[in-house]
Every structure is written in structure tokens, then in C-alpha cells.
Coordinates of all heavy atoms in Angstrom, one line a residue:
T1385 N -2.3 18.1 -5.2 CA -2.2 18.4 -3.8 C -3.0 17.6 -2.9 O -2.8 17.2 -1.8 CB -2.3 19.9 -3.4 OG1 -3.6 20.3 -3.8 CG2 -1.2 20.6 -4.1
W1386 N -4.3 17.3 -3.4 CA -5.3 16.5 -2.6 C -4.8 15.1 -2.4 O -5.0 14.5 -1.4 CB -6.7 16.6 -3.3 CG -7.3 17.9 -3.2 CD1 -7.5 18.8 -4.2 CD2 -7.8 18.6 -2.0 NE1 -8.1 20.0 -3.7 CE2 -8.3 19.9 -2.4 CE3 -7.8 18.2 -0.7 CZ2 -8.8 20.7 -1.5 CZ3 -8.4 19.2 0.3 CH2 -8.9 20.4 -0.2
L1387 N -4.1 14.5 -3.4 CA -3.7 13.2 -3.3 C -2.5 13.2 -2.3 O -2.5 12.2 -1.5 CB -3.1 12.7 -4.7 CG -2.6 11.3 -4.7 CD1 -3.7 10.3 -4.2 CD2 -2.1 11.0 -6.1
A1388 N -1.7 14.1 -2.2 CA -0.6 14.2 -1.4 C -1.2 14.2 0.1 O -0.7 13.6 1.0 CB 0.3 15.4 -1.6
L1389 N -2.2 15.2 0.3 CA -2.8 15.3 1.5 C -3.5 13.9 2.0 O -3.4 13.6 3.2 CB -3.8 16.4 1.6 CG -3.2 17.9 1.5 CD1 -4.3 18.8 1.4 CD2 -2.3 18.2 2.7
F1390 N -4.1 13.3 1.1 CA -4.8 12.0 1.4 C -3.7 10.9 1.8 O -3.8 10.3 2.9 CB -5.5 11.5 0.2 CG -6.0 10.1 0.3 CD1 -7.1 9.9 1.1 CD2 -5.5 9.0 -0.4 CE1 -7.7 8.6 1.2 CE2 -6.0 7.8 -0.3 CZ -7.1 7.6 0.5
E1391 N -2.5 11.0 1.1 CA -1.5 10.0 1.4 C -0.8 10.3 2.9 O -0.5 9.5 3.6 CB -0.5 9.9 0.4 CG -1.0 9.2 -0.9 CD 0.0 9.3 -2.1 OE1 1.0 10.1 -2.0 OE2 -0.2 8.5 -3.0
I1392 N -0.7 11.6 3.2 CA -0.2 12.0 4.4 C -1.1 11.6 5.5 O -0.8 11.1 6.6 CB 0.1 13.5 4.4 CG1 1.3 13.9 3.6 CG2 0.3 14.0 5.9 CD1 1.5 15.4 3.4
G1393 N -2.4 11.8 5.2 CA -3.5 11.4 6.2 C -3.4 9.8 6.4 O -3.6 9.4 7.6
L1394 N -3.1 9.1 5.4 CA -2.9 7.5 5.6 C -1.8 7.3 6.4 O -1.8 6.4 7.3 CB -2.8 6.9 4.2 CG -4.1 6.8 3.3 CD1 -3.7 6.2 2.0 CD2 -5.2 6.1 4.0
G1395 N -0.6 8.0 6.2 CA 0.5 7.8 7.1 C 0.3 8.1 8.5 O 0.7 7.4 9.4
V1396 N -0.5 9.2 8.8 CA -0.8 9.6 10.1 C -1.6 8.5 10.8 O -1.6 8.2 11.9 CB -1.3 11.0 10.2 CG1 -1.9 11.3 11.5 CG2 -0.2 12.0 9.7
G1397 N -2.7 8.1 9.9 CA -3.6 7.0 10.4 C -2.8 5.8 10.8 O -3.4 5.1 11.8
L1398 N -1.8 5.4 10.3 CA -1.0 4.3 10.6 C -0.3 4.5 12.1 O -0.1 3.5 12.7 CB 0.0 3.9 9.6 CG -0.5 3.3 8.3 CD1 0.6 3.1 7.3 CD2 -1.3 2.0 8.5
L1399 N -0.1 5.7 12.3 CA 0.5 6.0 13.7 C -0.5 6.0 14.8 O 0.0 5.8 16.0 CB 1.3 7.3 13.6 CG 2.4 7.4 12.6 CD1 3.0 8.8 12.5 CD2 3.5 6.4 12.9
V1400 N -1.7 6.1 14.5 CA -2.8 6.2 15.5 C -3.3 4.8 15.7 O -3.9 4.2 14.7 CB -3.8 7.2 15.2 CG1 -4.9 7.2 16.2 CG2 -3.3 8.6 15.0
P1401 N -3.2 4.2 16.9 CA -3.5 2.7 17.1 C -5.0 2.4 16.6 O -5.1 1.4 16.0 CB -3.3 2.4 18.5 CG -2.3 3.5 18.9 CD -2.6 4.7 18.1
Y1402 N -5.9 3.2 17.0 CA -7.3 2.8 16.6 C -7.6 3.2 15.1 O -8.7 2.8 14.7 CB -8.3 3.5 17.6 CG -8.4 5.0 17.6 CD1 -9.1 5.7 16.8 CD2 -7.5 5.6 18.5 CE1 -9.1 7.1 16.7 CE2 -7.5 7.0 18.5 CZ -8.3 7.7 17.6 OH -8.4 9.1 17.7
L1403 N -6.8 3.8 14.5 CA -7.1 4.0 12.9 C -6.2 3.2 12.1 O -6.3 3.2 10.8 CB -6.8 5.5 12.7 CG -7.6 6.6 13.3 CD1 -7.1 8.0 12.9 CD2 -9.1 6.4 12.8
Q1404 N -5.4 2.3 12.7 CA -4.5 1.5 11.8 C -5.1 0.6 10.8 O -4.7 0.5 9.6 CB -3.5 0.7 12.7 CG -2.5 1.5 13.4 CD -1.5 0.6 14.2 OE1 -1.9 -0.4 14.7 NE2 -0.4 1.1 14.5
K1405 N -6.1 -0.1 11.2 CA -6.8 -1.1 10.3 C -7.5 -0.4 9.2 O -7.4 -0.8 8.0 CB -7.8 -2.0 11.1 CG -7.0 -3.1 11.9 CD -7.8 -4.2 12.2 CE -7.0 -5.2 13.1 NZ -7.1 -6.5 12.8
I1406 N -8.2 0.6 9.5 CA -9.0 1.4 8.4 C -8.0 2.1 7.4 O -8.2 2.1 6.3 CB -10.1 2.3 9.0 CG1 -11.0 2.9 7.9 CG2 -9.4 3.5 9.7 CD1 -11.9 1.9 7.4
S1407 N -6.9 2.6 8.1 CA -5.9 3.3 7.2 C -5.3 2.2 6.3 O -5.1 2.4 5.1 CB -4.9 3.9 8.1 OG -5.4 5.0 8.8
A1408 N -5.0 1.0 6.8 CA -4.4 -0.1 6.0 C -5.3 -0.5 4.9 O -4.8 -0.8 3.7 CB -4.0 -1.3 6.9
W1409 N -6.6 -0.6 5.1 CA -7.6 -0.9 4.1 C -7.6 0.2 3.0 O -7.7 -0.1 1.9 CB -9.0 -1.1 4.6 CG -9.2 -2.4 5.2 CD1 -9.4 -2.9 6.5 CD2 -9.3 -3.7 4.4 NE1 -9.6 -4.2 6.6 CE2 -9.5 -4.8 5.3 CE3 -9.1 -4.0 3.1 CZ2 -9.5 -6.1 5.0 CZ3 -9.1 -5.4 2.7 CH2 -9.3 -6.3 3.7
F1410 N -7.5 1.4 3.4 CA -7.5 2.5 2.5 C -6.2 2.5 1.7 O -6.1 2.7 0.4 CB -7.6 3.9 3.1 CG -9.1 4.3 3.3 CD1 -9.6 4.3 4.6 CD2 -9.9 4.6 2.3 CE1 -10.9 4.8 4.8 CE2 -11.2 5.0 2.5 CZ -11.7 5.0 3.7
I1411 N -5.1 2.1 2.3 CA -3.8 1.9 1.6 C -3.9 0.8 0.5 O -3.5 1.0 -0.6 CB -2.7 1.7 2.6 CG1 -2.4 3.0 3.4 CG2 -1.4 1.2 1.8 CD1 -1.5 2.9 4.5
V1412 N -4.5 -0.2 0.9 CA -4.7 -1.4 0.0 C -5.5 -0.9 -1.2 O -5.1 -1.2 -2.4 CB -5.4 -2.6 0.7 CG1 -5.8 -3.6 -0.4 CG2 -4.4 -3.2 1.6
G1413 N -6.6 -0.2 -1.0 CA -7.4 0.2 -2.1 C -6.7 1.3 -3.0 O -6.7 1.2 -4.2
H1414 N -6.1 2.2 -2.4 CA -5.4 3.3 -3.1 C -4.2 2.7 -4.0 O -4.2 2.9 -5.1 CB -4.9 4.3 -2.1 CG -3.9 5.3 -2.7 ND1 -4.2 6.1 -3.7 CD2 -2.6 5.5 -2.4 CE1 -3.2 6.9 -4.0 NE2 -2.1 6.6 -3.3
L1415 N -3.4 1.8 -3.4 CA -2.3 1.3 -4.1 C -2.8 0.2 -5.2 O -2.1 0.1 -6.2 CB -1.3 0.6 -3.2 CG -0.5 1.6 -2.3 CD1 0.4 0.8 -1.3 CD2 0.3 2.5 -3.2
T1416 N -3.9 -0.5 -4.9 CA -4.4 -1.4 -5.9 C -4.8 -0.7 -7.1 O -4.5 -1.0 -8.3 CB -5.6 -2.2 -5.3 OG1 -5.0 -2.9 -4.2 CG2 -6.1 -3.1 -6.4
F1417 N -5.5 0.4 -7.0 CA -6.0 1.1 -8.2 C -4.8 1.9 -8.8 O -4.8 1.9 -10.1 CB -7.1 2.2 -7.8 CG -8.4 1.5 -7.6 CD1 -9.0 1.5 -6.3 CD2 -9.1 0.9 -8.6 CE1 -10.2 0.9 -6.1 CE2 -10.3 0.2 -8.3 CZ -10.8 0.2 -7.1
A1418 N -3.9 2.3 -8.2 CA -2.7 3.0 -8.8 C -1.9 1.9 -9.6 O -1.4 2.3 -10.6 CB -1.8 3.6 -7.7
T1419 N -1.8 0.7 -9.0 CA -1.1 -0.3 -9.7 C -1.8 -0.9 -10.9 O -1.1 -1.2 -11.9 CB -0.7 -1.4 -8.7 OG1 0.0 -0.8 -7.6 CG2 0.2 -2.5 -9.3
L1420 N -3.1 -1.1 -10.7 CA -3.9 -1.7 -11.8 C -3.8 -0.9 -13.1 O -3.7 -1.4 -14.2 CB -5.3 -1.8 -11.4 CG -5.6 -3.0 -10.5 CD1 -7.1 -3.0 -10.2 CD2 -5.3 -4.4 -11.2
S1421 N -3.8 0.5 -13.0 CA -3.6 1.2 -14.2 C -2.4 1.0 -14.9 O -2.3 1.0 -16.2 CB -3.8 2.7 -13.9 OG -2.7 3.1 -13.1
V1422 N -1.2 0.7 -14.2 CA 0.0 0.4 -14.9 C 0.1 -1.0 -15.3 O 0.6 -1.3 -16.4 CB 1.1 0.7 -13.9 CG1 2.5 0.3 -14.5 CG2 1.2 2.2 -13.5
M1423 N -0.6 -1.9 -14.6 CA -0.4 -3.4 -15.0 C -1.3 -3.6 -16.3 O -1.1 -4.7 -16.9 CB -0.9 -4.2 -13.9 CG 0.1 -4.2 -12.7 SD -0.4 -5.2 -11.4 CE 0.1 -6.8 -12.0
L1424 N -2.1 -2.7 -16.7 CA -2.9 -2.9 -17.9 C -2.0 -2.7 -19.2 O -2.4 -3.0 -20.3 CB -4.0 -1.9 -18.0 CG -5.2 -2.3 -16.9 CD1 -6.3 -1.2 -17.0 CD2 -5.8 -3.7 -17.1
S1425 N -0.8 -2.3 -18.9 CA 0.2 -2.1 -20.0 C 1.4 -2.9 -19.7 O 2.4 -2.3 -19.3 CB 0.5 -0.6 -20.1 OG 1.5 -0.4 -21.0
P1426 N 1.3 -4.3 -19.9 CA 2.5 -5.1 -19.5 C 3.8 -4.8 -20.2 O 4.8 -5.1 -19.7 CB 2.0 -6.4 -19.8 CG 0.8 -6.3 -20.6 CD 0.2 -4.9 -20.5
Q1427 N 3.8 -4.2 -21.4 CA 5.0 -4.0 -22.1 C 5.9 -2.9 -21.5 O 7.1 -2.8 -21.7 CB 4.7 -3.6 -23.6 CG 4.0 -2.3 -23.9 CD 2.6 -2.5 -23.8 OE1 2.0 -3.5 -23.4 NE2 1.8 -1.4 -24.3
A1428 N 5.2 -2.1 -20.6 CA 6.0 -1.0 -19.8 C 6.6 -1.6 -18.7 O 7.3 -1.0 -18.0 CB 5.0 0.1 -19.5
F1429 N 6.3 -2.8 -18.3 CA 6.8 -3.4 -17.1 C 8.2 -3.8 -17.1 O 8.9 -3.6 -16.1 CB 5.9 -4.7 -16.8 CG 6.0 -5.3 -15.4 CD1 5.5 -4.6 -14.3 CD2 6.7 -6.5 -15.2 CE1 5.6 -5.1 -13.0 CE2 6.8 -7.0 -13.9 CZ 6.2 -6.2 -12.8
T1430 N 8.8 -4.4 -18.1 CA 10.2 -4.8 -18.2 C 10.9 -4.2 -19.4 O 10.3 -3.8 -20.4 CB 10.3 -6.3 -18.3 OG1 9.8 -6.7 -19.5 CG2 9.6 -7.0 -17.1
E1431 N 12.2 -4.1 -19.2 CA 13.0 -3.6 -20.4 C 13.6 -4.8 -21.1 O 14.2 -4.7 -22.0 CB 14.1 -2.6 -19.9 CG 13.5 -1.3 -19.4 CD 14.5 -0.4 -18.8 OE1 15.7 -0.8 -18.5 OE2 14.2 0.7 -18.6
G1432 N 13.5 -5.9 -20.4 CA 14.2 -7.2 -20.9 C 14.5 -7.9 -19.6 O 15.0 -7.4 -18.6
F1433 N 14.2 -9.2 -19.6 CA 14.4 -10.1 -18.4 C 15.9 -10.1 -18.0 O 16.7 -10.2 -18.9 CB 13.9 -11.5 -18.7 CG 13.9 -12.4 -17.5 CD1 13.0 -12.4 -16.5 CD2 15.0 -13.4 -17.4 CE1 13.0 -13.1 -15.4 CE2 15.1 -14.1 -16.2 CZ 14.1 -14.1 -15.3
P1434 N 16.2 -9.9 -16.7 CA 15.4 -9.8 -15.6 C 15.3 -8.4 -15.1 O 14.9 -8.1 -14.0 CB 16.2 -10.7 -14.6 CG 17.6 -10.4 -15.0 CD 17.6 -10.3 -16.5
E1435 N 15.6 -7.4 -16.0 CA 15.6 -6.0 -15.5 C 14.2 -5.3 -15.6 O 13.5 -5.6 -16.5 CB 16.6 -5.2 -16.4 CG 18.0 -5.7 -16.4 CD 18.9 -4.9 -17.4 OE1 18.4 -4.1 -18.2 OE2 20.1 -5.3 -17.4
L1436 N 13.9 -4.6 -14.6 CA 12.6 -3.9 -14.5 C 12.8 -2.5 -14.9 O 13.8 -1.9 -14.8 CB 12.1 -3.9 -13.1 CG 11.6 -5.2 -12.5 CD1 11.2 -5.0 -11.0 CD2 10.5 -5.8 -13.3
S1437 N 11.8 -2.0 -15.6 CA 11.7 -0.6 -16.0 C 11.4 0.2 -14.7 O 11.1 -0.3 -13.7 CB 10.7 -0.3 -17.1 OG 9.5 -0.6 -16.7
V1438 N 11.4 1.6 -14.9 CA 11.0 2.4 -13.8 C 9.5 2.0 -13.3 O 9.1 2.0 -12.2 CB 11.1 3.9 -14.1 CG1 10.5 4.8 -13.0 CG2 12.6 4.2 -14.3
V1439 N 8.7 1.8 -14.4 CA 7.3 1.5 -14.2 C 7.2 0.1 -13.5 O 6.4 -0.1 -12.6 CB 6.5 1.5 -15.5 CG1 5.1 0.9 -15.3 CG2 6.5 2.8 -16.1
G1440 N 8.0 -0.9 -13.9 CA 8.0 -2.1 -13.2 C 8.4 -2.0 -11.8 O 7.9 -2.7 -10.9
E1441 N 9.5 -1.2 -11.5 CA 9.8 -1.0 -10.0 C 8.6 -0.3 -9.3 O 8.5 -0.7 -8.1 CB 11.0 -0.1 -10.0 CG 12.3 -0.7 -10.5 CD 13.5 0.2 -10.5 OE1 13.4 1.3 -10.0 OE2 14.5 -0.3 -11.1
F1442 N 7.9 0.5 -9.9 CA 6.7 1.1 -9.3 C 5.7 0.0 -8.8 O 5.2 0.1 -7.7 CB 6.2 2.2 -10.2 CG 4.8 2.7 -9.8 CD1 4.7 3.7 -8.7 CD2 3.6 2.3 -10.4 CE1 3.4 4.2 -8.4 CE2 2.4 2.8 -10.0 CZ 2.4 3.8 -9.0
V1443 N 5.5 -0.8 -9.8 CA 4.6 -1.9 -9.6 C 5.0 -2.8 -8.4 O 4.3 -3.2 -7.5 CB 4.3 -2.7 -10.9 CG1 3.4 -4.0 -10.5 CG2 3.5 -1.8 -11.8
V1444 N 6.2 -3.2 -8.5 CA 6.8 -4.1 -7.4 C 6.8 -3.5 -6.0 O 6.4 -4.0 -5.1 CB 8.2 -4.6 -7.7 CG1 8.9 -5.3 -6.7 CG2 8.2 -5.4 -9.0
K1445 N 7.1 -2.2 -6.0 CA 7.1 -1.5 -4.7 C 5.7 -1.3 -4.3 O 5.4 -1.6 -3.0 CB 7.5 0.1 -4.9 CG 7.5 0.8 -3.7 CD 7.1 2.3 -3.8 CE 6.1 2.7 -5.0 NZ 5.2 3.7 -4.6
N1446 N 4.6 -1.1 -5.0 CA 3.2 -1.1 -4.7 C 2.8 -2.4 -4.2 O 2.0 -2.5 -3.1 CB 2.3 -0.5 -5.8 CG 2.4 0.9 -5.9 OD1 3.1 1.6 -5.1 ND2 1.7 1.5 -6.9
L1447 N 3.2 -3.5 -4.8 CA 2.8 -4.9 -4.3 C 3.5 -5.2 -3.0 O 2.8 -5.8 -2.2 CB 3.2 -5.9 -5.4 CG 2.5 -5.9 -6.7 CD1 3.1 -6.8 -7.7 CD2 1.0 -6.1 -6.6
A1448 N 4.7 -4.7 -2.8 CA 5.3 -4.9 -1.4 C 4.5 -4.1 -0.4 O 4.2 -4.6 0.8 CB 6.7 -4.5 -1.4
L1449 N 4.1 -2.9 -0.6 CA 3.4 -2.0 0.3 C 2.0 -2.6 0.5 O 1.5 -2.6 1.7 CB 3.3 -0.6 -0.2 CG 4.6 0.2 -0.2 CD1 4.5 1.6 -0.7 CD2 5.2 0.3 1.2
I1450 N 1.4 -3.1 -0.5 CA 0.0 -3.8 -0.3 C 0.2 -5.0 0.6 O -0.6 -5.2 1.5 CB -0.6 -4.2 -1.6 CG1 -1.0 -2.9 -2.4 CG2 -1.8 -5.1 -1.5 CD1 -1.4 -3.2 -3.9
S1451 N 1.2 -5.7 0.5 CA 1.5 -6.9 1.4 C 1.7 -6.5 2.8 O 1.1 -7.2 3.7 CB 2.7 -7.7 0.9 OG 2.5 -8.1 -0.4
V1452 N 2.4 -5.4 3.0 CA 2.6 -4.9 4.4 C 1.3 -4.4 4.9 O 1.0 -4.7 6.1 CB 3.6 -3.8 4.3 CG1 3.8 -3.1 5.7 CG2 5.0 -4.3 4.0
A1453 N 0.5 -3.7 4.1 CA -0.8 -3.4 4.6 C -1.7 -4.4 5.1 O -2.4 -4.4 6.1 CB -1.5 -2.4 3.6
F1454 N -1.7 -5.5 4.2 CA -2.5 -6.7 4.6 C -2.0 -7.3 5.9 O -2.8 -7.8 6.8 CB -2.5 -7.8 3.5 CG -3.5 -7.6 2.5 CD1 -3.2 -7.6 1.1 CD2 -4.9 -7.4 2.8 CE1 -4.1 -7.4 0.2 CE2 -5.9 -7.3 1.8 CZ -5.5 -7.2 0.4
L1455 N -0.7 -7.3 6.1 CA -0.1 -7.8 7.3 C -0.6 -6.9 8.5 O -0.9 -7.5 9.6 CB 1.5 -7.8 7.2 CG 2.2 -8.3 8.4 CD1 2.0 -9.8 8.5 CD2 3.7 -8.1 8.3
L1456 N -0.6 -5.7 8.3 CA -1.1 -4.8 9.5 C -2.6 -5.1 9.7 O -3.1 -5.0 10.9 CB -1.0 -3.3 9.1 CG 0.5 -2.8 9.1 CD1 0.4 -1.3 8.6 CD2 1.0 -2.8 10.5
I1457 N -3.3 -5.4 8.7 CA -4.8 -5.8 8.9 C -4.9 -7.1 9.7 O -5.8 -7.1 10.6 CB -5.4 -5.8 7.5 CG1 -5.5 -4.5 6.8 CG2 -6.9 -6.4 7.7 CD1 -5.9 -4.5 5.4
V1458 N -4.2 -8.1 9.4 CA -4.4 -9.4 10.0 C -3.6 -9.6 11.3 O -3.9 -10.6 12.0 CB -4.2 -10.5 9.1 CG1 -5.1 -10.4 7.9 CG2 -2.8 -10.7 8.6
W1459 N -2.6 -8.8 11.5 CA -1.7 -9.1 12.6 C -2.4 -8.8 14.0 O -3.1 -7.7 14.1 CB -0.4 -8.1 12.5 CG 0.7 -8.5 13.4 CD1 0.9 -8.1 14.7 CD2 1.7 -9.4 13.1 NE1 2.0 -8.8 15.2 CE2 2.6 -9.5 14.2 CE3 2.1 -10.1 11.9 CZ2 3.8 -10.2 14.2 CZ3 3.2 -10.8 11.8 CH2 4.0 -10.9 13.1
P1460 N -2.4 -9.7 14.8 CA -3.2 -9.5 16.2 C -2.5 -8.5 17.0 O -1.3 -8.4 17.1 CB -3.2 -10.8 16.8 CG -2.1 -11.5 16.3 CD -1.9 -11.0 14.9
K1461 N -3.4 -7.6 17.6 CA -2.8 -6.6 18.5 C -2.3 -7.3 19.8 O -3.0 -8.2 20.3 CB -3.8 -5.5 18.8 CG -4.0 -4.6 17.6 CD -4.9 -3.4 18.0 CE -5.1 -2.6 16.8 NZ -5.9 -1.3 17.2
P1462 N -1.3 -6.8 20.4 CA -0.9 -7.4 21.7 C -1.8 -7.0 22.8 O -2.4 -6.0 22.8 CB 0.5 -6.8 22.0 CG 0.6 -5.6 21.2 CD -0.3 -5.8 20.0
K1463 N -2.1 -8.0 23.7 CA -3.0 -7.7 24.8 C -2.3 -6.9 25.8 O -1.1 -7.1 26.2 CB -3.4 -9.1 25.4 CG -4.2 -9.9 24.4 CD -4.8 -11.2 25.0 CE -5.4 -12.1 24.0 NZ -6.7 -12.2 24.0
T1464 N -3.0 -5.9 26.2 CA -2.4 -5.0 27.2 C -3.0 -5.4 28.6 O -4.1 -5.8 28.7 CB -2.7 -3.6 27.0 OG1 -4.2 -3.4 26.9 CG2 -2.1 -3.1 25.6
E1465 N -2.2 -5.2 29.6 CA -2.6 -5.4 31.0 C -3.2 -4.2 31.6 O -2.7 -3.1 31.3 CB -1.5 -6.0 31.8 CG -0.9 -7.2 31.4 CD 0.3 -7.7 32.3 OE1 0.4 -7.3 33.4 OE2 1.0 -8.5 31.8
N1466 N -4.3 -4.4 32.3 CA -4.9 -3.2 33.0 C -4.5 -2.9 34.3 O -4.0 -3.6 35.1 CB -6.4 -3.4 33.0 CG -7.0 -3.4 31.7 OD1 -6.5 -2.6 30.7 ND2 -8.1 -3.9 31.4

């Protein structure tokens, strides 16, 4: 349950403009460690080229989400007029 609450907090953090970058960094860290544990077992990654196993799909999904989080980190915020 603590992990679920942490992930919900990350999602809420992405909705709050001044928490977006720190939330994105936490997402990168969280998904990297979750993915690294699976990537240490490459035989679980595929069932045979080009099909991915469920574990392989998990890894690809996490890599896509990490890419989006990096995009949120480097994307410039639009300038607002006062």
C-alpha cells in the first residue's frame, strides 16, 4: 500500500506545476530501479523474437515512461504574461 500511495503522490505531483520537475525525477528513479531488477534476467525478456513476454512488455513500458519523464524535465515552461 505504501508503494501505491507513493505512485499516487507522483501522479498528483505531475499535476501541480511547481512540483512537476521533482516528481519527474522521482519517477525516473522509481521506474529505473523497478526496471533494473527485471533487466538483470534477460531470458525473461522475450519469448522468441520478435514477441515480448509480459516481463518484456513491462520493461518497454517503463522505458517509455522514463523517456516521457525526461521530456518533462527538459521541456521549457511557457512564459506567462503578467
Side-chain angles (χ1 to χ4, degrees):
T1385 59
W1386 290 109
L1387 180 61
L1389 291 174
F1390 174 72
E1391 290 176 344
I1392 290 169
L1394 290 176
V1396 170
L1398 288 175
L1399 297 175
V1400 180
Y1402 61 89
L1403 293 177
Q1404 283 179 343
K1405 285 199 185 226
I1406 190 72
S1407 295
W1409 277 114
F1410 275 110
I1411 288 170
V1412 168
H1414 169 62
L1415 291 176
T1416 299
F1417 285 113
T1419 304
L1420 280 179
S1421 62
V1422 175
M1423 291 183 76
L1424 294 176
S1425 175
Q1427 66 271 13
F1429 192 71
T1430 64
E1431 293 177 346
F1433 185 78
E1435 298 173 1
L1436 291 175
S1437 66
V1438 173
V1439 175
E1441 291 176 9
F1442 171 78
V1443 170
V1444 171
K1445 177 215 35 134
N1446 281 357
L1447 292 175
L1449 290 175
I1450 289 170
S1451 301
V1452 170
F1454 275 129
L1455 183 65
L1456 287 174
I1457 292 168
V1458 300
W1459 198 271
K1461 289 188 177 184
K1463 296 185 188 249
T1464 58
E1465 295 182 23
N1466 291 333

